Amino acid sequence: MLISKWLVAFVAVYGGLGGVLFDAVIPATARQHQGNPAWPPHAKFHNGQTMMLGVLNMVLALVVLFALPPTLPTLLVAAALAEIYFASMLLAPLFPGTAWSDPEFADLNPHPLGIPIQKLLSLLATGVVLVAVALAVVPR
């Protein structure tokens, strides 16, 4: 279960710090989010809300992983906490009028395999969590 624990921890940290780094700190990507003068204050509010959700999920997942006894139920709770950020990102396009990037930045954002980079990274993070859970659940 140790490998599963560290895989979940990695995804939790990526979800917690990745959003803050990409949306508010790294200049090339922050200019598309918190640093975007075209975004109204309320859009920036919701971006801040999303970043803080990622940070809080990270903290809770790490507390569950490293402060509680290592059991399958605690691993599953931590996995769910780490995954919530990425699941919400993958589900966001269900709402009308949403897009993976604003039109003025569409050409700047990579699309490996024809997939928007945010979607691809969210799918990869989800895959890592699923592998972690499978390693912990499937008897060897």
Side-chain angles (χ1 to χ4, degrees):
M1 186 159 355
L2 187 61
I3 292 173
S4 295
K5 180 178 180 175
W6 284 103
L7 288 172
V8 170
F10 170 78
V11 171
V13 170
Y14 173 59
L17 299 182
V20 173
L21 289 173
F22 289 123
D23 290 6
V25 176
I26 299 170
T29 52
R31 71 186 177 130
Q32 299 180 42
H33 298 90
Q34 289 301 109
N36 186 344
W39 272 25
H42 193 68
K44 291 181 182 188
F45 168 86
H46 281 291
N47 186 232
Q49 178 185 18
T50 301
M51 289 187 289
M52 290 298 92
L53 176 64
V55 170
L56 294 173
N57 282 349
M58 172 190 73
V59 169
L60 286 173
L62 294 176
V63 166
V64 169
L65 283 172
F66 295 102
L68 298 179
T71 64
L72 181 59
T74 58
L75 178 79
L76 295 176
V77 168
L81 287 166
E83 176 56 26
I84 284 172
Y85 182 83
F86 297 102
S88 67
M89 191 178 303
L90 291 168
L91 293 170
L94 294 175
F95 289 91
T98 60
W100 287 103
S101 64
D102 289 328
E104 66 269 26
F105 299 109
D107 293 338
L108 297 175
N109 294 320
H111 287 74
L113 307 171
I115 302 170
I117 191 68
Q118 304 95 320
K119 183 177 184 179
L120 180 61
L121 292 173
S122 294
L123 290 169
L124 289 172
T126 299
V128 170
V129 169
L130 291 174
V131 166
V133 169
L135 287 172
V137 172
V138 175
R140 292 188 267 164

